[in-house]
């Protein structure tokens, strides 16, 4: 599908994409915008991969978050494809904390599809997210993607909507997250992931998904304010 929802960010992918109720780094910009309110300082991240090992499906993501008196503001750029087929997205994100427990955010993205010898088309879509701090170090996250059901070639069913609900428990060493996604036309799928901080500089990650059934592993190395995942 055009602009299919593919998990991005090495850390979120390491926990099988079950990141809606974690969202505590610069990856939250395009996963759950409400999570940006957890960041206390400027953060930037980048991500690169080739899907199925094909250069024609090269994927690149850049994002950053900064805190302002009016809330947290984020920007991101995402591209998929090469010279023949390319999906490009630029997004502007805003979030605000309402007290110590409730955070909310919204995202506006401009999407451009370019196919060689066929031309270029553009559209815009909107996302919204919530993140709620619950007792016992538990968080509840809700995100709705493509609220306006943006159209491609005058058809809304080419651009499905997606709603994700997740819950996480975050302690000093262990983070466990569970998430349910519902996408129009495809139904429900679930994700479960965990992140274990073995030492202050090393984190181990794993997770699995249903529909399709996949297993994920990852690790993160942190030196002061720089992290490689």
């Amino acid at each position: 599908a055009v602009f299919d929802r593919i998990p991005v960010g090495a850390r979120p992918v390491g926990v099988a994409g079950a990141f809606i109720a974690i969202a505590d780094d610069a990856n939250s910009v395009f996963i759950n915008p409400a999570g940006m309110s957890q960041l206390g300082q400027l953060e930037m991240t980048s991500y690169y991969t080739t899907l199925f090992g094909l250069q024609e499906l090269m994927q690149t993501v850049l994002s950053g978050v900064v805190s302002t008196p009016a809330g947290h503001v984020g920007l991101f750029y995402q591209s998929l494809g090469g010279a023949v087929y390319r999906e490009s997205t630029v997004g502007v994100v805003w979030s605000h904390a309402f007290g110590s427990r409730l955070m909310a955010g919204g995202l506006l993205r401009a999407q451009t599809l370019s196919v060689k010898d066929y031309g270029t088309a553009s559209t815009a879509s909107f996302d919204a997210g919530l993140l709620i701090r619950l007792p016992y170090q538990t968080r509840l996250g809700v995100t709705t993607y493509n609220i306006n059901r943006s159209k491609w070639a005058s058809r809304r069913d080419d651009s499905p909507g997606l709603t994700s609900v997740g819950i996480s428990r975050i302690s000093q060493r262990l983070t466990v997250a569970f998430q349910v996604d519902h996408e129009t036309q495809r139904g429900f799928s679930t994700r479960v992931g965990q992140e274990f901080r073995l030492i202050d500089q090393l984190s181990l990650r794993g997770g699995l998904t249903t529909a399709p059934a996949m297993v994920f592993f990852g690790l993160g190395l942190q030196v002061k304010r720089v992290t490689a995942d």
Side-chain angles (χ1 to χ4, degrees):
V2 177
F3 288 93
D4 202 4
R5 189 72 186 178
I6 302 171
V8 295
R11 183 181 174 216
V13 171
V15 294
F19 204 70
I20 294 294
I22 301 175
D24 57 1
D25 63 21
N27 291 297
S28 63
V29 170
F30 42 80
I31 295 178
N32 184 352
M36 295 194 311
S37 293
Q38 302 181 90
L39 279 59
Q41 56 193 0
L42 171 69
E43 282 200 19
M44 300 179 67
T45 188
S46 63
Y47 172 73
Y48 170 84
T49 188
T50 53
L51 300 180
F52 309 106
L54 299 174
Q55 284 296 323
E56 293 81 1
L57 292 178
M58 178 177 64
Q59 189 178 49
T60 304
V61 178
L62 302 170
S63 69
V65 181
V66 64
S67 177
T68 74
H72 284 68
V73 177
L75 297 172
F76 75 92
Y77 169 78
Q78 182 176 352
S79 70
L80 171 67
V84 176
Y85 177 94
R86 179 179 293 275
E87 300 175 0
S88 301
T89 302
V90 176
V92 179
V93 196
W94 174 83
S95 73
H96 187 72
F98 300 88
S100 61
R101 295 191 177 273
L102 175 63
M103 292 159 277
L107 179 155
L108 169 63
R109 62 163 60 85
Q111 299 168 298
T112 302
L113 174 64
S114 178
V115 183
K116 186 178 180 180
D117 299 330
Y118 284 85
T120 301
S122 299
T123 190
S125 64
F126 306 92
D127 302 346
L130 291 173
L131 190 63
I132 304 171
R133 288 193 176 105
L134 302 174
Y136 306 108
Q137 299 174 300
T138 303
R139 300 176 189 173
L140 175 67
V142 180
T143 305
T144 301
Y145 303 97
N146 194 22
I147 296 173
N148 60 314
R149 294 296 301 275
S150 55
K151 296 190 294 183
W152 293 100
S154 301
R155 294 182 53 181
R156 293 187 183 275
D157 55 353
D158 288 339
S159 186
L162 172 66
T163 299
S164 297
V165 179
I167 190 167
S168 69
R169 189 179 189 278
I170 301 176
S171 63
Q172 185 176 3
R173 294 290 182 186
L174 180 65
T175 296
V176 179
F178 176 78
Q179 182 174 313
V180 176
D181 303 329
H182 179 261
E183 185 172 358
T184 54
Q185 304 175 353
R186 296 186 183 180
F188 291 91
S189 62
T190 58
R191 305 176 186 272
V192 60
Q194 68 174 18
E195 179 179 68
F196 178 67
R197 187 176 292 273
L198 188 63
I199 57 176
D200 289 343
Q201 295 79 23
L202 177 63
S203 298
L204 305 178
R205 305 182 182 107
L208 57 88
T209 65
T210 64
M214 300 179 68
V215 178
F216 298 78
F217 297 98
L219 59 86
L221 299 172
Q222 183 171 354
V223 179
K224 295 184 179 179
R225 289 187 61 186
V226 178
T227 303
D229 296 304

